[in-house]
Amino acid sequence: LSASVSFVSFYSDKYGYRPPPRTVPLEDWGKLLEKMDAAETALAQKWYYLDENAVPAEYAMHTITEMFPAFWGKGGDEDEQQARREARAGNWREESGLALALRSAAAKCGWTGLRFLPYEQSVTESETRCAQDAKVSVIWFRRSIREVDLLTGKL
């Protein structure tokens, strides 16, 4: 065994959470918006801002607490707890809708492979790719469960 970093990954029949990318290249932004309907465009414009401090400039996501200030609250009275529940539900609804809109728009652009990857990959896949790129020890276990209805989880 070496003293270097190791990475172990377990995959099964579930791909995992696919968040919207934290940043979108400037050259992608307009092309993606052209493929979205009005509601999707409004959602994307709500969540992303042009970061001209980045080199090169890019669109970056606002933080969760900018969008939903009550998201990270702790404790508090019943009103604060309800505000936190509503913020978390709102964030999940909007972020998952945004991810789907971006993924759909990127597919409509005809992007495939590495060009499509930022709009499609799961958190687990992203972490695995980072580990592989870092040239560390990577062990990947893939388990395929047979005889399981993937919609119900029943054998």
Side-chain angles (χ1 to χ4, degrees):
L1 248 310
S2 72
S4 68
V5 177
S6 294
F7 186 88
V8 177
S9 176
F10 294 91
Y11 281 80
S12 189
D13 292 316
K14 184 176 177 186
Y15 185 63
Y17 173 59
R18 296 186 294 176
R22 295 292 165 221
T23 61
V24 174
L26 191 59
E27 63 271 10
D28 286 4
W29 185 251
K31 294 172 186 173
L32 291 167
L33 293 184
E34 287 176 5
K35 303 295 182 182
M36 293 181 184
D37 65 28
E40 293 168 334
T41 298
L43 186 60
Q45 290 174 330
K46 176 182 176 182
W47 275 88
Y48 286 91
Y49 67 95
L50 178 59
D51 183 357
E52 296 180 284
N53 290 319
V55 178
E58 62 189 2
Y59 280 84
M61 282 188 87
H62 289 286
T63 64
I64 293 172
T65 51
E66 287 177 290
M67 305 305 289
F68 294 96
F71 187 90
W72 289 115
K74 293 182 180 178
D77 62 20
E78 183 57 38
D79 289 341
E80 290 172 335
Q81 292 175 22
Q82 180 61 30
R84 187 169 50 255
R85 284 190 293 272
E86 289 172 7
R88 290 177 177 175
N91 175 69
W92 180 256
R93 183 178 51 255
E94 288 191 14
E95 193 173 289
S96 59
L98 178 61
L100 183 59
L102 288 167
R103 194 164 40 255
S104 176
K108 289 175 186 175
C109 286
W111 299 341
T112 60
L114 293 178
R115 183 81 169 88
F116 185 64
L117 193 62
Y119 306 101
E120 204 271 334
Q121 73 182 339
S122 71
V123 171
T124 306
E125 181 177 355
S126 174
E127 291 170 349
T128 302
R129 286 180 181 277
C130 286
Q132 290 171 329
D133 291 346
K135 307 290 188 240
V136 297
S137 299
V138 177
I139 301 171
W140 182 47
F141 296 95
R142 179 181 167 108
R143 183 175 116 177
S144 183
I145 302 172
R146 305 210 190 293
E147 308 297 326
V148 174
D149 182 331
L150 295 178
L151 296 176
T152 65
K154 296 180 181 176
L155 294 173

